Amino acid sequence: MSVFDTTVFLSTFITLVVILDPPGAVPIFLALTGSLTKVQRHVAARRASLVAVFVIGMFALFGKSILDYLHISIAALQGAGGLLLLLVALELLTGKESDSLADAGVNVALVPLGTPLLAGPGAIVATMLAVQGSDTTGAYTAVGAALVGAMLVVYLVLRFAGQVRGLLRESGTMLLTRIAGLLLSAIAVQMVADSVRAFVNGEG
């Protein structure tokens, strides 16, 4: 019976928390769930975290086989995620998000919160590499525990993001929405740029 690999757990956990950046997701989460009630925001936080765990977990287990079968590179996945986030960012910046997101309800937890914001190429690749670098049952268990632990941190941060919204009020929330749109557009452009760079370098 393999012993739980603490080293693998810590390295994977820290890597995922840094990539997921829970504090950085708060303004985006608040902007996307601005039209939801307190209960709906809590549901969205839980659903986004569960969706991210599921997507990253599936890619960790079957990602390489799926991408190879479909002839899709990580660079292409990254570019697609960047374009999707850019569309959302433009809605936040222009103030057109209210109607579309209100109709979507807590489904914003699926897209774009769950994926590709949380379960993005960075987190997916990091987990896939951690799994590929594991050679014992204890190491595999550690990677799984690290993923669940990192998403638990994300959930707790998003779960209590409503308190931040209460302090900001309507005007502050509107300002935060525009800032979130700017940050999200920067993240999206960076993802697309990294994707293009990978293709130019022959990695796509």
Side-chain angles (χ1 to χ4, degrees):
M1 182 176 179
S2 299
V3 180
F4 184 83
D5 197 323
T6 307
T7 302
V8 172
F9 170 79
L10 289 176
S11 62
T12 306
F13 175 79
I14 293 173
T15 299
L16 285 176
V17 169
V18 170
I19 292 174
L20 293 169
D21 187 20
V26 169
I28 299 171
F29 175 78
L30 290 176
L32 293 173
T33 58
S35 61
L36 304 184
T37 65
K38 181 179 179 180
V39 174
Q40 287 177 320
R41 280 198 301 273
H42 293 170
V43 172
R46 182 174 66 251
R47 188 175 293 179
S49 302
L50 291 175
V51 167
V53 167
F54 176 77
V55 172
I56 295 176
M58 288 297 98
F59 270 98
L61 294 174
F62 312 110
K64 192 174 186 308
S65 300
I66 294 174
L67 294 181
D68 288 345
Y69 177 77
L70 296 175
H71 304 291
I72 298 174
S73 65
I74 295 296
L77 186 66
Q78 192 170 21
L83 291 175
L84 178 59
L85 287 183
L86 187 58
L87 291 176
V88 177
L90 290 175
E91 288 190 341
L92 294 178
L93 284 170
T94 56
K96 295 179 180 178
E97 85 288 345
S98 55
D99 293 335
S100 60
L101 295 181
D103 293 338
V106 294
N107 287 329
V108 297
L110 305 179
V111 178
L113 283 176
T115 181
L117 190 57
L118 294 179
I124 289 173
V125 172
T127 308
M128 287 174 63
L129 292 177
V131 169
Q132 292 175 18
S134 302
D135 53 6
T136 65
T137 303
Y140 288 122
T141 304
V143 173
L147 173 59
V148 173
M151 280 304 168
L152 181 60
V153 172
V154 171
Y155 166 70
L156 291 175
V157 171
L158 298 183
R159 170 68 170 73
F160 294 102
Q163 276 73 352
V164 178
R165 179 179 174 80
L167 294 173
L168 294 174
R169 305 199 177 184
E170 186 175 350
S171 58
T173 302
M174 184 177 297
L175 176 62
L176 190 64
T177 298
R178 300 299 179 265
I179 295 174
L182 181 61
L183 293 175
L184 194 58
S185 63
I187 293 172
V189 170
Q190 185 63 58
M191 289 175 65
V192 173
D194 290 342
S195 173
V196 172
R197 187 179 300 112
F199 277 106
V200 171
N201 294 333
E203 301 172 7

